[in-house]
Amino acid sequence: MDKVALAAAGLYVIVLLRAGGTFAVGRLAGAGARRSRFSERVSSPKFQRAERAIQRWGAPVVAVSFLTVGFQTAANFLAGSMRMPLPRYLPALFVGGAAWALVYATAGIGILETLARLFAERTALGVAGVAVVLAAVCGAVLYRRRKAAPVSREAAPEES
């Protein structure tokens, strides 16, 4: 089996489990909200209209969400919490998941092959590139930690 096809098949299984699981968690959360103190809000006419719209038109949004970064989890969770029927959700999951798996498999294999070629032909350049990336990541982490660190009383100016 071709390495891209094998990677795509593995990623397809992963995305089906992850997105399907997110849908299931959304379904459980929606059912819980309907039984909680939020039941008045989720039974309002405005919410009911939104729920019907998602049930009817949400499948294309779910399918396209797999080609975005950061939106697919929200789309799958929302589809579950808004009770999108499985006959509408599953085709969107299968089509969107296949597109996601193919994009990530081909791009991922291409990137890995490029890195392998770089290390094989110019090892010093490859090592330097990895060192630069690691230094940038470490610098960003340290910068964020320092910025988020609380100011101690000793460092704060004293009031007279």
Side-chain angles (χ1 to χ4, degrees):
M1 185 179 240
D2 178 57
K3 60 185 164 188
V4 173
L6 185 62
L11 288 170
Y12 189 58
V13 170
I14 290 168
V15 78
L16 290 179
L17 293 173
R18 182 180 57 85
T22 303
F23 176 85
V25 169
R27 182 77 85 156
L28 292 171
R34 286 173 182 77
R35 292 185 188 99
S36 71
R37 62 184 175 156
F38 299 110
S39 63
E40 287 180 19
R41 289 184 185 166
V42 296
S43 62
S44 72
K46 188 183 273 189
F47 190 89
Q48 298 282 330
R49 278 193 308 274
E51 189 174 61
R52 281 192 303 275
I54 287 172
Q55 289 172 355
R56 183 169 182 185
W57 302 107
V61 173
V62 169
V64 171
S65 76
F66 285 96
L67 300 177
T68 66
V69 176
F71 179 65
Q72 58 187 278
T73 302
N76 283 284
F77 184 85
L78 187 62
S81 66
M82 294 289 197
R83 300 186 296 191
M84 180 183 291
L86 281 176
R88 289 187 186 267
Y89 174 75
L90 289 177
L93 171 65
F94 294 145
V95 170
W100 180 88
L102 287 173
V103 166
Y104 276 85
T106 54
I109 296 290
I111 290 168
L112 289 176
E113 286 178 346
T114 302
L115 287 174
R117 195 173 315 118
L118 178 64
F119 273 95
E121 295 172 3
R122 299 182 183 201
T123 306
L125 185 60
V127 171
V130 169
V132 167
V133 169
L134 287 175
V137 168
C138 290
V141 168
L142 288 174
Y143 175 77
R144 287 183 143 201
R145 284 189 180 172
R146 285 187 183 144
K147 193 172 183 181
V151 178
S152 67
R153 291 200 176 269
E154 296 169 3
E158 294 183 23
E159 295 180 26
S160 302

